[in-house]
Amino acid sequence: MAVTTPAERAGTTGRRGLAPALSVLIGALSSLIGLSWDVQWHIDVGPDTFFTLPHLFIYAGSAVTGLTALTVVLRATADERAGRELDPAVGGRAVGVFGRTFAAPVAYLVTGTSAAVFLVYGLWDQWWHGIYGFDATIDSPPHIGLLLSVSTTIIGSLMTFAVARRERWGRAGVFLAVAMLVAFCTITSLAFNGANQGIHLVDISIAFTTVMLVLTATSFFRTPGAALLTAVTVAGLQVVLWVFTPWATRTYADSVGLPVRDYVEGVPAMPNLIPMSLLGVALAVEGALLLGRRANWSARVVAPVLGAVGALVITALAPVQRLVTRGFPLAGFDYIALTCGVAALAGLLAGFLGWRFGLMLRALVPTEEEAR
């Protein structure tokens, strides 16, 4: 009788978990690319229908993630009913659904549920287009639901890779999923567009989510360089979207015979919302954490402080980024100062939550005994 070593068993687990995790990641990436493309289409061209190519990218992404999650859940359910031990390294520990009718690995339960909810909001969006025609704004009720659903899908993708933290591909997937969340949440933050009264709530929201996610990755890995590598991944994704989005918009407009508007600036909207100051903030986080380790500072204290400082810096430099890239004039000093003050307070919560979320992701990782 052949005896497998722990290394061989780990390799088998890695191969089992890689395919569905990669499928979910590709689906989420398709939705992210489709969203950036769709936003630019509305700005540069305007007219669309429910079945435009950018929309199909978004919906195909959710279809891929939903079908992948369904396949994993059905396979896990079949294994459990056959008396086979479920592998917690594939999507995490299984939880019972509908009175244990199904056994669903927790990461794929999140992914599958969000994909199903996305379908509901998609039907609502189709109805909305039929009643009101073209969308004049991105923050319509069905759009907000769609955006939140895709955000949750990306969170599910992050969980599938976090479970495989011991694998190289698992660690790489965590960085990419976090970067995708940072990029995607910039558009979700536009839901506050109509509430920018006295303070710039969109800038505050973007700073909050960005800092929280960077500290989530830092807390999860607990190794020097995690914050900086997260920022580098975000910057790489930003460059890709910056190049692809305007090119795809113009190419698609030419292919369907629609003109591009005369006042198009050439600066892609969604990639320009991603904070370019994040690399500097990540370097500051790395330095502060290095000092904290040497001085034995408590992470419970350091994380909120880092969140406050990071959110303050990102919010303060957001108007500068718009000035440099798009020529937007700076707002008054009082407006920027008040916005930065609120952002710093929100950053305290972002730092606290980010560190806690990192600990929650670590809890998904199977123990050495479970991995065997």
Side-chain angles (χ1 to χ4, degrees), residues 44 103 119 158 191 305:
D44 290 356
L119 177 61
L158 171 60
V305 173

Side-chain angles (χ1 to χ4, degrees), residues 55-360:
H55 285 179
L56 293 179
F57 263 68
I58 298 172
Y59 284 92
S62 284
V64 169
T65 56
L67 291 173
T68 301
L70 178 62
T71 300
V72 172
V73 170
L74 291 178
R75 181 178 296 176
T77 302
D79 287 343
E80 184 180 67
R81 291 182 178 180
R84 291 186 289 269
E85 185 176 356
L86 301 183
D87 186 354
V90 181
R93 300 170 184 85
V95 297
V97 181
F98 300 131
R100 206 66 190 183
T101 302
F102 298 99
V106 62
Y108 292 100
L109 176 61
V110 172
T111 303
T113 302
S114 60
V117 172
F118 180 92
L119 177 61
V120 174
Y121 280 113
L123 294 174
W124 185 11
D125 189 44
Q126 170 72 318
W127 175 85
W128 190 273
H129 277 271
I131 298 296
Y132 300 106
F134 301 138
D135 293 312
T137 176
I138 195 172
D139 52 1
S140 66
H143 282 178
I144 295 301
L146 289 169
L147 293 173
L148 291 176
S149 299
V150 177
S151 298
T152 308
T153 299
I154 302 175
I155 291 173
S157 176
L158 171 60
M159 293 168 66
T160 64
F161 286 103
V163 169
R165 183 169 67 97
R166 294 186 178 90
E167 303 287 342
R168 182 177 300 176
W169 60 264
R171 296 188 293 273
V174 168
F175 284 117
L176 184 53
V178 169
M180 289 166 58
L181 269 176
V182 170
F184 202 92
C185 285
T186 59
I187 293 297
T188 308
S189 296
L190 294 180
F192 296 105
N193 242 336
N196 287 331
Q197 304 295 328
I199 56 175
H200 203 300
L201 276 176
V202 173
D203 283 352
I204 294 172
S205 177
I206 291 174
F208 178 91
T209 54
T210 300
V211 169
M212 181 182 67
L213 290 167
V214 169
L215 289 176
T216 295
T218 304
S219 173
F220 175 73
F221 285 108
R222 297 291 186 90
T223 55
L228 183 58
L229 189 52
T230 301
V232 170
T233 308
V234 171
L237 185 60
Q238 184 178 28
V239 170
V240 171
L241 292 175
W242 197 289
V243 173
F244 172 82
T245 302
W247 170 83
T249 301
R250 290 178 178 272
T251 302
Y252 184 45
D254 291 342
S255 69
V256 296
L258 289 175
V260 176
R261 288 168 173 164
D262 294 336
Y263 58 80
V264 170
E265 300 173 346
V267 178
M270 179 176 168
N272 194 41
L273 289 172
I274 302 172
M276 295 179 181
S277 57
L278 183 55
L279 282 171
V281 171
L283 284 172
V285 168
E286 294 290 351
L289 291 176
L290 179 61
L291 291 175
R293 294 186 189 98
R294 292 178 177 178
N296 200 27
W297 294 340
S298 171
R300 295 181 179 179
V301 176
V302 174
V305 173
L306 289 176
V309 174
L312 173 62
V313 171
I314 290 174
T315 304
L317 293 179
V320 178
Q321 180 172 325
R322 288 192 290 269
L323 173 65
V324 172
T325 58
R326 304 188 65 182
F328 285 7
L330 295 176
F333 175 79
D334 292 345
Y335 181 82
I336 295 177
L338 183 57
T339 299
C340 290
V342 175
L345 292 176
L348 289 171
L349 178 60
F352 172 80
L353 291 177
W355 204 263
R356 290 291 179 177
F357 289 154
L359 297 178
M360 292 169 64

